[in-house]
Amino acid sequence: MSIEEMENGLEGLVHNSELTGWQAEKPQLGIEIGRAVRVRILDVDPVGRRITLSQRQADPEV
């Protein structure tokens, strides 16, 4: 189930420093709403309903 499908879902954030490859250099060109990406969960804030994510740490080749 994706986060969007959950009632009162969570907000996920991947900081620019946690992106891989050319996306890290120009995130405005490589990030699209709704695009599926592999990430690792770094932190969960249930009160703020946010999760901190890393694409860099989820990619075994980085």
Side-chain angles (χ1 to χ4, degrees):
M1 176 185 305
S2 71
I3 293 170
E4 296 84 17
E5 293 172 354
M6 296 173 56
E7 184 176 328
N8 298 319
L10 300 172
E11 178 180 65
L13 171 69
V14 178
H15 191 273
N16 289 354
S17 65
E18 293 297 329
L19 294 171
T20 59
W22 61 270
Q23 294 173 347
E25 296 173 20
K26 297 185 179 186
Q28 67 276 13
L29 299 178
I31 303 301
E32 300 171 13
I33 294 174
R35 181 173 166 228
V37 294
R38 180 178 291 202
V39 295
R40 176 171 287 184
I41 298 172
L42 302 180
D43 186 50
V44 178
D45 175 7
V47 175
R49 304 198 61 77
R50 293 183 179 170
I51 53 177
T52 304
L53 308 167
S54 172
Q55 184 183 33
R56 179 178 304 279
Q57 294 182 38
D59 188 344
E61 295 186 19
V62 173

